Amino acid sequence: MMSVQRRHALALLFGFLAALAASGGIAQTADTSSPPRVELQGRALLAALRGGGYILYFRHTSTDFGQYDERMTGYEDCARQRNLTDAGRAEARAIGQALRELEIPIADVLASPFCRTMETARLMFGRAAAAPTVRGGPAQPESADRYAELRNLLATPVARGTNLAIASHGNPFVAVAGGPYLAEGEAAVIEPLGNAGFRIVARIKKDEWAPLK
């Protein structure tokens, strides 16, 4: 049989939870400081991208998960990194071709200095500037401001009539924008909002560019 003390404690707990729910306190778990996500699709998305002012954040295309980065001696040491597969190279070329056919203007192209991201960008756009900012700070130790420069970059307005392209990794994107994780070759279309931050307006998988026509 339940003791008087335990019944009293449970009654207090249920009363507290009921009051909290009634006040809306339980529901206040989402981060309300971030701008709401706005979905663009199809022709509306294509028109927006042709007009410019957005950031296309790509995760590198398909890689060989039997390779590892732990023994690399520097970013230029491609032999000791996880690299694109032949399929990944074909994916990057196809995405670049689709973007050209869709007449989506791209100005600057930034890439994480890793070989797989630099190669992804070069195969897509024919050029890439190595930018540690889009990779984030040092892998160790972790720090609260590791991705501060990336957050600032994604919030910085892009001139109308063109778009900024970034080839980077899945982890930095999740760190600054939340999940779900970008698949290899998937892109997030980001609208910079200046002091208000940024918001994701679309996510496009590697085989979803051509259908935008």
Side-chain angles (χ1 to χ4, degrees), residues 38 53 60 81 84 119 129 156 175 177 195 211:
V38 177
H60 56 75
Q81 295 179 37
L84 298 186
E119 187 175 16
T156 301
N195 292 335

Side-chain angles (χ1 to χ4, degrees), residues 38-55:
V38 177
E39 291 285 353
L40 289 176
Q41 299 178 352
R43 292 183 178 179
L45 174 58
L46 180 56
L49 290 174
R50 283 175 172 169
Y54 293 90
I55 298 172

